[in-house]
Amino acid sequence: MKSDLTHIFIILLFLALMGFLCWYFSSIVIYMLIALALTVAGRPIVNLLCKIRIKKISFPRPLAAIIAMVIIFGLFFGFFAILTPLISQEIKNLTSIDPQVITNGYYRFLSKFEDIASNQGIDVTATEMSEGLVLQLQALVKRLDFGNILGNLVGIIASVFVAVFAILFLTFFSLTDDGIFMKTARKFIPSKWRPNFSNIVDATSKQVGRYFGGVLIEMCIIGLINGVACTLLGVPDAALIGVLSGLLNVIPYLGPLISVCLNILISCTSMIPMSPAGIDVLYNIIKVVAIFGSAQLIDNFVLQPVIYGKSVKAHPIEIFIVIMAASQIGGVLGMIFAVPVYTLLRIVFKEFFGQYFIENAGQHEETGEGGKVAEIKS
């Protein structure tokens, strides 16, 4: 019993140390994760090119890695090349709006609010409310330190440059030397735990790979549903709305809320010049909310149970608690990576501590041969 407790303590201490190092060097870990994802996407291309042989000369793997990276980043740039005209058109819509239309609508709204306030015995006029809002905006502008904003912008640009260089560097060598990340990490693992490490890597790669594949499919389906529905109902900028809704859907729970607010704004900026009275704008808002509400129901009750249930084998309540906890720790980025990290932790604990929770061999099933990670049946 004492040896078991010592064993558990040592493992927990080691895991805590690894967790602290990952948190402390979180930016490097993120670069490695992105590079690993790009490696997974580019590996089939590299393997295919390396099969090419001209007489006895095989295709150089470094050159294959470069070609794979060019193809992957070419797809990214192609995607943004398609998205850029849509954004440019939205900017034109914003610049074409007559400020007088906004002002008239604003005063009409305040006048209606003034009537409601008057009926409730509140003595406030539209002019007073307008002046109060202007004063608040002026105070907000005064509090903005444009020197700090410029300095932060320069810092952001420098950080992006470093991130892109690091990701390209890591991706290239990862494609050139397949499995270099795992080989490097394995060197820092105590020799007696290396078989466990191999089991964890195998099980995690399968489950996390299925999860991210499911998330990608989910994004495409949600974007397609919203884009097609907006097109059929005559909502302006339907293509841009579809793309943004699909991209933002990667953020659990919070993403759809941001998406609907942003896309209402996008569609309304196109409607304002055509509908000074604002009636069509209101109908447009109702359409967008109805479309996004329907898509979210499909996502919550059809897509997410399949993705979370089959890929990571976790209950929706369990996933919800994990994502909320991750949002407190890492914000939006924490919410995006909450499920993969939680999946990894579950596999780690099953590998090292599974024998303490399984009463007999009939209660679990092996995920592979040679003592692979045991999956406890839910």
Side-chain angles (χ1 to χ4, degrees):
M1 181 67 180
K2 186 176 180 180
S3 60
D4 286 345
L5 291 175
T6 304
H7 180 68
I8 292 172
F9 176 77
I10 292 173
I11 293 174
L12 289 176
L13 185 63
F14 180 77
L15 293 175
L17 177 61
M18 291 296 100
F20 172 76
L21 291 176
C22 289
W23 170 79
Y24 189 79
F25 298 104
S26 57
S27 59
I28 299 176
V29 173
I30 291 172
Y31 300 157
M32 291 179 65
L33 289 174
I34 296 174
L36 188 60
L38 294 175
T39 301
V40 172
R43 186 181 294 127
I45 302 173
V46 173
N47 293 338
L48 181 63
L49 291 174
C50 287
K51 291 179 181 179
I52 300 175
R53 288 181 176 272
I54 301 175
K55 294 183 178 181
K56 294 183 178 180
I57 302 174
S58 60
F59 203 93
R61 194 171 182 88
L63 180 58
I66 293 174
I67 294 174
M69 291 174 64
V70 169
I71 292 173
I72 293 171
F73 284 98
L75 292 174
F76 277 114
F77 284 121
F79 172 76
F80 285 110
I82 295 173
L83 191 61
T84 300
L86 300 176
I87 296 175
S88 299
Q89 183 59 44
E90 181 59 26
I91 294 173
K92 289 180 181 178
N93 293 336
L94 286 172
T95 55
S96 66
I97 295 175
D98 185 1
Q100 190 62 40
V101 173
I102 303 295
T103 303
N104 293 339
Y106 168 67
Y107 274 105
R108 280 198 299 270
F109 172 77
L110 290 182
S111 298
K112 291 179 181 179
F113 189 81
E114 180 182 353
D115 295 336
I116 295 173
S118 178
N119 293 333
Q120 298 296 324
I122 302 174
D123 185 17
V124 61
T125 65
T127 302
E128 290 175 345
M129 287 186 285
S130 178
E131 290 175 351
L133 180 60
V134 170
L135 289 174
Q136 291 296 325
L137 291 174
Q138 289 176 345
L140 177 62
V141 171
K142 288 180 180 179
R143 285 197 296 268
L144 293 176
D145 189 340
F146 289 99
N148 286 338
I149 292 175
L150 182 60
N152 292 335
L153 183 61
V154 172
I156 291 171
I157 294 173
S159 299
V160 169
F161 177 80
V162 171
V164 170
F165 175 79
I167 292 168
L168 289 175
F169 183 87
L170 292 170
T171 303
F172 172 75
F173 282 100
S174 180
L175 287 170
T176 304
D177 187 355
D178 195 17
I180 185 63
F181 288 148
M182 297 303 109
K183 292 175 186 176
T184 303
R186 186 180 173 86
K187 295 178 182 178
F188 295 93
I189 303 295
S191 58
K192 65 178 181 179
W193 292 341
R194 286 178 184 175
N196 302 101
F197 175 75
S198 298
N199 295 341
I200 290 168
V201 170
D202 290 341
T204 303
S205 60
K206 292 176 183 177
Q207 291 198 22
V208 173
R210 287 198 300 265
Y211 169 75
F212 277 118
V215 168
L216 181 61
I217 294 172
E218 179 191 17
M219 290 169 60
C220 293
I221 292 174
I222 293 300
L224 189 63
I225 289 174
N226 288 322
V228 171
C230 287
T231 301
L232 293 176
L233 293 180
V235 176
D237 297 319
L240 182 59
I241 287 174
V243 171
L244 289 178
S245 62
L247 292 175
L248 289 172
N249 203 69
V250 73
I251 307 173
Y253 305 112
L254 186 61
L257 181 61
I258 298 173
S259 178
V260 68
C261 295
L262 183 61
N263 288 318
I264 285 174
L265 179 63
I266 290 172
S267 62
C268 287
T269 53
S270 300
M271 295 292 297
I272 288 174
M274 299 181 293
S275 178
I279 300 298
D280 292 337
V281 174
L282 179 60
Y283 287 153
N284 187 69
I285 293 173
I286 294 172
K287 289 178 186 177
V288 173
V289 172
I291 291 169
F292 272 74
S294 301
Q296 199 57 34
L297 288 175
I298 295 173
D299 189 22
N300 291 339
F301 293 102
V302 179
L303 300 178
Q304 288 187 10
V306 172
I307 293 170
Y308 296 149
K310 293 187 177 181
S311 63
V312 300
K313 300 179 181 179
H315 194 277
I317 293 178
E318 187 179 352
I319 294 298
F320 177 79
I321 295 173
V322 168
I323 290 173
M324 290 299 100
S327 68
Q328 295 292 320
I329 298 172
V332 173
L333 197 61
M335 296 177 74
I336 294 173
F337 290 101
V339 175
V341 171
Y342 177 62
T343 301
L344 172 61
L345 292 176
R346 289 176 66 199
I347 292 172
V348 169
F349 274 86
K350 284 179 183 179
E351 177 66 27
F352 286 111
F353 307 116
Q355 67 271 23
Y356 299 107
F357 299 98
I358 300 174
E359 294 180 0
N360 55 69
Q363 288 181 296
H364 64 90
E365 59 184 4
E366 301 295 337
T367 58
E369 296 181 0
K372 297 288 184 180
V373 179
E375 292 286 350
I376 300 175
K377 288 185 178 180
S378 56

